[in-house]
Amino acid sequence: MKIPKFLEKMKKPKEPKPKKEKTKKVWAPKKINLRKYIKYAVCGWLVFSVIGTIRTYTVDNSSKPVAMVAQKEKEENFATTIGAGNFATNFLKEYFTWNTEDTQERVKRLQPFLRGGMDEHAGMRFDSVTGTAFPVSYEIWKVEETSKNTADFTFRISYKTKTTIQKEVKNKNIKEEKVDGPFERWVKVPVITDGKAFSINGNPTFTNKPSAAGLEPIKDSKYSESNPETEAKINKFLHTFFKQYTTGTAAELEYLTTDKSIQPLGGTVIFESIEELKTLENKKNSTIVEVKAVFTDRNSKVQINQTYKLEVSESKGQWKVIKFN
């Protein structure tokens, strides 16, 4: 009798699976990808460079306005401006105007100018003075910055005094006004500001007349060798140019110059003559000359000598002014 196959399988014992032998792992260095690490290093360097540049740019730009503002604040002392000069001028006009019969009227005029606590007459006394005074002329001669908000203005001022004298004429007492002057004075006026307005910062003080500038005489220009024939042609051309420059129209002058910024004077003066013409420099395509010309003022008829420096050029027999000083 045959045994069924499934019974045969049940009878057969299962063969044990062979055990896998464990192998010990031996350490070995991994293969390094140098290209990858170089790539990372380059990327990192670029990132830090960009960040550093942005930071430097930000710091520099943030500091520049601060520096510019500081410099601006240093340069703009309100006490040295034109407004301060006008303020000091108006004060000085009132300062040298008085009437000894009503000194309080002068006090009222000075009060808006003076800083608080100052003498109401700004140092002037009228105990032994009679009559009146008034300024004739005044001009600012010098401005000196004395601090960040103060300055001294030096003035040259001329003023006259007027007194009343009693005379007896034919047994009658007659009052006669006597005017003396003008008297020239050099006065220093101190001004202070709060950044918006001004005040006189102390009594005006008399000062000495400034000395003349110790400058050397003007030296003659260095002239270059010239062609007499060329100078004669230039002289003839410049007579035409100066005539159109003084009394001509813009359209007429346009044919004589390449510099379109040169505009005619509109007939305020009249060209008379060229006293002297000398060559300063001979260039390849032009000539620089110095010209001493005579003009007449149309209204006063006074004659004026003036010196000009011109660069002229000739093309196809036509001369033109290239530069005009």
Side-chain angles (χ1 to χ4, degrees):
M1 185 176 179
K2 288 185 179 182
I3 299 170
K5 288 183 179 181
F6 70 91
L7 291 173
E8 289 180 357
K9 287 181 180 180
M10 290 177 62
K11 286 181 178 181
K12 288 181 180 180
K14 290 182 180 181
E15 295 180 0
K17 291 181 180 180
K19 292 182 179 181
K20 291 182 179 180
E21 292 184 1
K22 292 183 180 181
T23 58
K24 290 184 179 181
K25 291 183 179 180
V26 180
W27 180 86
K30 290 184 178 180
K31 207 170 184 180
I32 298 173
N33 191 341
L34 290 175
R35 181 178 291 180
K36 182 173 71 174
Y37 285 106
I38 291 173
K39 182 179 178 181
Y40 289 157
V42 171
C43 290
W45 176 79
L46 288 173
V47 170
F48 282 110
S49 297
V50 171
I51 292 172
T53 303
I54 293 172
R55 186 178 178 185
T56 303
Y57 179 79
T58 306
V59 171
D60 288 349
N61 278 328
S62 64
S63 63
K64 278 181 182 177
V66 175
M68 289 174 67
V69 169
Q71 185 179 4
K72 187 177 181 182
E73 288 177 351
K74 183 179 178 181
E75 291 176 353
E76 285 190 359
N77 181 352
F78 203 37
T80 62
T81 60
I82 295 174
N86 291 334
F87 177 83
T89 301
N90 291 331
F91 161 75
L92 203 66
K93 287 191 290 183
E94 304 296 344
Y95 185 77
F96 277 93
T97 302
W98 66 74
N99 181 356
T100 55
E101 293 182 2
D102 187 3
T103 57
Q104 286 304 307
E105 183 270 338
R106 181 176 183 271
V107 170
K108 292 178 181 179
R109 288 188 284 106
L110 294 184
Q111 192 273 331
F113 294 94
L114 302 180
R115 186 176 183 178
M118 284 185 58
D119 171 46
E120 60 184 9
H121 278 294
M124 195 171 283
R125 297 180 180 180
F126 300 96
D127 299 336
S128 58
V129 179
T130 59
T132 61
F134 55 93
V136 178
S137 64
Y138 34 82
E139 58 183 341
I140 297 174
W141 198 258
K142 186 169 62 172
V143 182
E144 298 173 279
E145 185 178 33
T146 52
S147 76
K148 65 180 181 180
N149 65 337
T150 60
D152 286 345
F153 287 82
T154 299
F155 285 86
R156 179 174 67 178
I157 184 167
S158 294
Y159 71 99
K160 291 182 179 181
T161 59
K162 186 187 295 185
T163 54
T164 302
I165 302 174
Q166 289 188 352
K167 284 187 176 181
E168 187 176 334
V169 179
K170 295 181 180 180
N171 298 324
K172 291 183 178 181
N173 291 326
I174 299 176
K175 293 182 178 180
E176 184 179 297
E177 289 187 338
K178 179 185 178 184
V179 178
D180 293 315
F183 307 106
E184 183 182 88
R185 298 291 182 268
W186 293 83
V187 183
K188 188 175 289 188
V189 179
V191 175
I192 189 169
T193 181
D194 60 359
K196 298 178 182 179
F198 311 99
S199 290
I200 299 302
N201 199 35
N203 295 338
T205 55
F206 292 106
T207 185
N208 58 308
K209 180 180 179 179
S211 57
L215 301 176
E216 296 180 358
I218 297 175
K219 296 180 180 179
D220 292 335
S221 303
K222 293 183 179 179
Y223 300 111
S224 176
E225 291 185 7
S226 59
N227 186 331
E229 186 179 346
T230 303
E231 277 195 358
K233 291 180 180 179
I234 294 174
N235 192 310
K236 183 179 179 181
F237 160 70
L238 289 180
H239 272 77
T240 304
F241 167 78
F242 280 117
K243 182 178 179 181
Q244 300 301 336
Y245 176 62
T246 53
T247 57
T249 64
E252 292 170 328
L253 192 61
E254 188 175 353
Y255 291 104
L256 304 175
T257 176
T258 60
D259 185 356
K260 304 309 175 187
S261 65
I262 303 174
Q263 297 296 317
L265 299 180
T268 55
V269 294
I270 301 169
F271 170 69
E272 296 293 345
S273 63
I274 292 177
E275 282 194 343
E276 188 177 20
L277 184 148
K278 290 188 177 182
T279 301
L280 296 178
E281 184 180 354
N282 288 301
K283 293 187 174 182
K284 185 177 181 181
N285 298 315
S286 64
T287 304
I288 300 176
V289 296
E290 185 181 81
V291 180
K292 293 181 180 180
V294 181
F295 303 88
T296 299
D297 182 87
R298 181 179 289 276
N299 299 110
S300 66
K301 306 304 179 184
V302 65
Q303 288 197 335
I304 307 164
N305 296 327
Q306 295 193 336
T307 302
Y308 294 91
K309 184 180 177 183
L310 302 95
E311 184 173 355
V312 296
S313 177
E314 185 266 339
S315 178
K316 297 180 181 179
Q318 176 65 43
W319 287 91
K320 289 193 175 185
V321 174
I322 301 174
K323 290 182 181 180
F324 179 58
N325 296 322

mmCIF file of all heavy atoms in Angstrom, residues 266-285:
data_model
loop_
_atom_site.group_PDB
_atom_site.id
_atom_site.type_symbol
_atom_site.label_atom_id
_atom_site.label_comp_id
_atom_site.label_asym_id
_atom_site.label_seq_id
_atom_site.Cartn_x
_atom_site.Cartn_y
_atom_site.Cartn_z
ATOM 1 N N GLY A 266 24.631 144.873 -25.168
ATOM 2 C CA GLY A 266 23.402 145.649 -25.347
ATOM 3 C C GLY A 266 23.600 147.143 -25.425
ATOM 4 O O GLY A 266 22.681 147.905 -25.116
ATOM 5 N N GLY A 267 24.795 147.579 -25.792
ATOM 6 C CA GLY A 267 25.030 149.003 -25.998
ATOM 7 C C GLY A 267 25.277 149.803 -24.746
ATOM 8 O O GLY A 267 25.254 151.044 -24.780
ATOM 9 N N THR A 268 25.518 149.149 -23.609
ATOM 10 C CA THR A 268 25.800 149.903 -22.377
ATOM 11 C C THR A 268 27.142 150.618 -22.461
ATOM 12 O O THR A 268 27.342 151.650 -21.837
ATOM 13 C CB THR A 268 25.786 148.971 -21.161
ATOM 14 O OG1 THR A 268 26.708 147.889 -21.385
ATOM 15 C CG2 THR A 268 24.400 148.387 -20.940
ATOM 16 N N VAL A 269 28.075 150.024 -23.200
ATOM 17 C CA VAL A 269 29.366 150.657 -23.460
ATOM 18 C C VAL A 269 29.641 150.589 -24.961
ATOM 19 O O VAL A 269 29.062 149.763 -25.674
ATOM 20 C CB VAL A 269 30.526 149.977 -22.681
ATOM 21 C CG1 VAL A 269 30.358 150.176 -21.199
ATOM 22 C CG2 VAL A 269 30.634 148.507 -23.028
ATOM 23 N N ILE A 270 30.525 151.456 -25.406
ATOM 24 C CA ILE A 270 30.866 151.524 -26.834
ATOM 25 C C ILE A 270 32.345 151.241 -27.005
ATOM 26 O O ILE A 270 33.188 151.818 -26.292
ATOM 27 C CB ILE A 270 30.524 152.916 -27.402
ATOM 28 C CG1 ILE A 270 29.026 153.214 -27.208
ATOM 29 C CG2 ILE A 270 30.898 153.004 -28.876
ATOM 30 C CD1 ILE A 270 28.660 154.650 -27.493
ATOM 31 N N PHE A 271 32.683 150.355 -27.940
ATOM 32 C CA PHE A 271 34.086 150.040 -28.206
ATOM 33 C C PHE A 271 34.746 151.195 -28.947
ATOM 34 O O PHE A 271 34.204 151.727 -29.921
ATOM 35 C CB PHE A 271 34.180 148.756 -29.040
ATOM 36 C CG PHE A 271 35.549 148.480 -29.575
ATOM 37 C CD1 PHE A 271 36.594 148.126 -28.731
ATOM 38 C CD2 PHE A 271 35.811 148.589 -30.935
ATOM 39 C CE1 PHE A 271 37.861 147.880 -29.218
ATOM 40 C CE2 PHE A 271 37.080 148.344 -31.435
ATOM 41 C CZ PHE A 271 38.103 147.990 -30.578
ATOM 42 N N GLU A 272 35.947 151.563 -28.475
ATOM 43 C CA GLU A 272 36.679 152.660 -29.100
ATOM 44 C C GLU A 272 37.889 152.175 -29.891
ATOM 45 O O GLU A 272 38.004 152.443 -31.087
ATOM 46 C CB GLU A 272 37.131 153.666 -28.022
ATOM 47 C CG GLU A 272 36.004 154.352 -27.289
ATOM 48 C CD GLU A 272 35.191 155.291 -28.170
ATOM 49 O OE1 GLU A 272 35.657 155.649 -29.279
ATOM 50 O OE2 GLU A 272 34.071 155.659 -27.755
ATOM 51 N N SER A 273 38.786 151.444 -29.216
ATOM 52 C CA SER A 273 40.022 151.046 -29.906
ATOM 53 C C SER A 273 40.729 149.939 -29.149
ATOM 54 O O SER A 273 40.405 149.643 -27.995
ATOM 55 C CB SER A 273 40.963 152.248 -30.044
ATOM 56 O OG SER A 273 41.357 152.701 -28.749
ATOM 57 N N ILE A 274 41.721 149.347 -29.835
ATOM 58 C CA ILE A 274 42.624 148.380 -29.206
ATOM 59 C C ILE A 274 43.963 149.071 -29.005
ATOM 60 O O ILE A 274 44.605 149.484 -29.974
ATOM 61 C CB ILE A 274 42.786 147.114 -30.072
ATOM 62 C CG1 ILE A 274 41.459 146.338 -30.098
ATOM 63 C CG2 ILE A 274 43.892 146.224 -29.516
ATOM 64 C CD1 ILE A 274 41.497 145.108 -30.990
ATOM 65 N N GLU A 275 44.357 149.209 -27.744
ATOM 66 C CA GLU A 275 45.621 149.888 -27.459
ATOM 67 C C GLU A 275 46.815 148.969 -27.645
ATOM 68 O O GLU A 275 47.887 149.406 -28.043
ATOM 69 C CB GLU A 275 45.604 150.429 -26.022
ATOM 70 C CG GLU A 275 44.807 151.709 -25.862
ATOM 71 C CD GLU A 275 45.089 152.379 -24.529
ATOM 72 O OE1 GLU A 275 45.632 151.705 -23.620
ATOM 73 O OE2 GLU A 275 44.790 153.578 -24.397
ATOM 74 N N GLU A 276 46.625 147.688 -27.297
ATOM 75 C CA GLU A 276 47.764 146.763 -27.366
ATOM 76 C C GLU A 276 47.249 145.345 -27.589
ATOM 77 O O GLU A 276 46.233 144.939 -27.027
ATOM 78 C CB GLU A 276 48.569 146.833 -26.069
ATOM 79 C CG GLU A 276 49.871 146.058 -26.103
ATOM 80 C CD GLU A 276 50.657 146.213 -24.812
ATOM 81 O OE1 GLU A 276 50.065 146.580 -23.774
ATOM 82 O OE2 GLU A 276 51.873 145.950 -24.842
ATOM 83 N N LEU A 277 47.953 144.600 -28.420
ATOM 84 C CA LEU A 277 47.631 143.193 -28.667
ATOM 85 C C LEU A 277 48.944 142.416 -28.705
ATOM 86 O O LEU A 277 49.850 142.766 -29.466
ATOM 87 C CB LEU A 277 46.871 143.025 -29.977
ATOM 88 C CG LEU A 277 46.382 141.608 -30.311
ATOM 89 C CD1 LEU A 277 45.085 141.642 -31.105
ATOM 90 C CD2 LEU A 277 47.427 140.808 -31.091
ATOM 91 N N LYS A 278 49.034 141.368 -27.862
ATOM 92 C CA LYS A 278 50.237 140.542 -27.827
ATOM 93 C C LYS A 278 49.857 139.070 -27.785
ATOM 94 O O LYS A 278 48.848 138.694 -27.178
ATOM 95 C CB LYS A 278 51.109 140.892 -26.618
ATOM 96 C CG LYS A 278 51.778 142.252 -26.736
ATOM 97 C CD LYS A 278 52.775 142.482 -25.615
ATOM 98 C CE LYS A 278 53.498 143.811 -25.783
ATOM 99 N NZ LYS A 278 54.510 144.027 -24.723
ATOM 100 N N THR A 279 50.695 138.257 -28.410
ATOM 101 C CA THR A 279 50.451 136.815 -28.456
ATOM 102 C C THR A 279 51.000 136.152 -27.199
ATOM 103 O O THR A 279 52.155 136.354 -26.842
ATOM 104 C CB THR A 279 51.117 136.195 -29.692
ATOM 105 O OG1 THR A 279 50.584 136.818 -30.867
ATOM 106 C CG2 THR A 279 50.866 134.697 -29.745
ATOM 107 N N LEU A 280 50.148 135.364 -26.525
ATOM 108 C CA LEU A 280 50.578 134.626 -25.337
ATOM 109 C C LEU A 280 51.051 133.218 -25.691
ATOM 110 O O LEU A 280 52.013 132.715 -25.113
ATOM 111 C CB LEU A 280 49.428 134.526 -24.329
ATOM 112 C CG LEU A 280 48.920 135.839 -23.730
ATOM 113 C CD1 LEU A 280 47.760 135.570 -22.788
ATOM 114 C CD2 LEU A 280 50.032 136.563 -22.983
ATOM 115 N N GLU A 281 50.352 132.583 -26.640
ATOM 116 C CA GLU A 281 50.682 131.195 -26.973
ATOM 117 C C GLU A 281 50.206 130.875 -28.386
ATOM 118 O O GLU A 281 49.090 131.235 -28.779
ATOM 119 C CB GLU A 281 50.018 130.241 -25.976
ATOM 120 C CG GLU A 281 50.375 128.779 -26.190
ATOM 121 C CD GLU A 281 49.706 127.866 -25.179
ATOM 122 O OE1 GLU A 281 49.056 128.374 -24.238
ATOM 123 O OE2 GLU A 281 49.825 126.635 -25.331
ATOM 124 N N ASN A 282 51.072 130.200 -29.120
ATOM 125 C CA ASN A 282 50.713 129.722 -30.453
ATOM 126 C C ASN A 282 50.400 128.237 -30.390
ATOM 127 O O ASN A 282 51.270 127.421 -30.105
ATOM 128 C CB ASN A 282 51.862 129.965 -31.441
ATOM 129 C CG ASN A 282 52.030 131.429 -31.780
ATOM 130 O OD1 ASN A 282 51.109 132.061 -32.276
ATOM 131 N ND2 ASN A 282 53.195 131.987 -31.480
ATOM 132 N N LYS A 283 49.158 127.870 -30.632
ATOM 133 C CA LYS A 283 48.769 126.466 -30.666
ATOM 134 C C LYS A 283 48.730 125.981 -32.107
ATOM 135 O O LYS A 283 48.967 126.744 -33.048
ATOM 136 C CB LYS A 283 47.409 126.277 -29.994
ATOM 137 C CG LYS A 283 47.420 126.550 -28.497
ATOM 138 C CD LYS A 283 46.089 126.173 -27.877
ATOM 139 C CE LYS A 283 46.132 126.307 -26.369
ATOM 140 N NZ LYS A 283 44.848 125.895 -25.741
ATOM 141 N N LYS A 284 48.397 124.690 -32.261
ATOM 142 C CA LYS A 284 48.391 124.098 -33.592
ATOM 143 C C LYS A 284 47.339 124.742 -34.486
ATOM 144 O O LYS A 284 47.611 125.094 -35.639
ATOM 145 C CB LYS A 284 48.152 122.594 -33.493
ATOM 146 C CG LYS A 284 48.253 121.873 -34.826
ATOM 147 C CD LYS A 284 48.065 120.372 -34.635
ATOM 148 C CE LYS A 284 48.180 119.651 -35.971
ATOM 149 N NZ LYS A 284 47.987 118.180 -35.829
ATOM 150 N N ASN A 285 46.134 124.899 -33.951
ATOM 151 C CA ASN A 285 45.035 125.428 -34.764
ATOM 152 C C ASN A 285 44.440 126.714 -34.218
ATOM 153 O O ASN A 285 43.358 127.124 -34.636
ATOM 154 C CB ASN A 285 43.918 124.374 -34.881
ATOM 155 C CG ASN A 285 44.381 123.114 -35.582
ATOM 156 O OD1 ASN A 285 45.057 123.180 -36.609
ATOM 157 N ND2 ASN A 285 44.046 121.961 -35.025
#
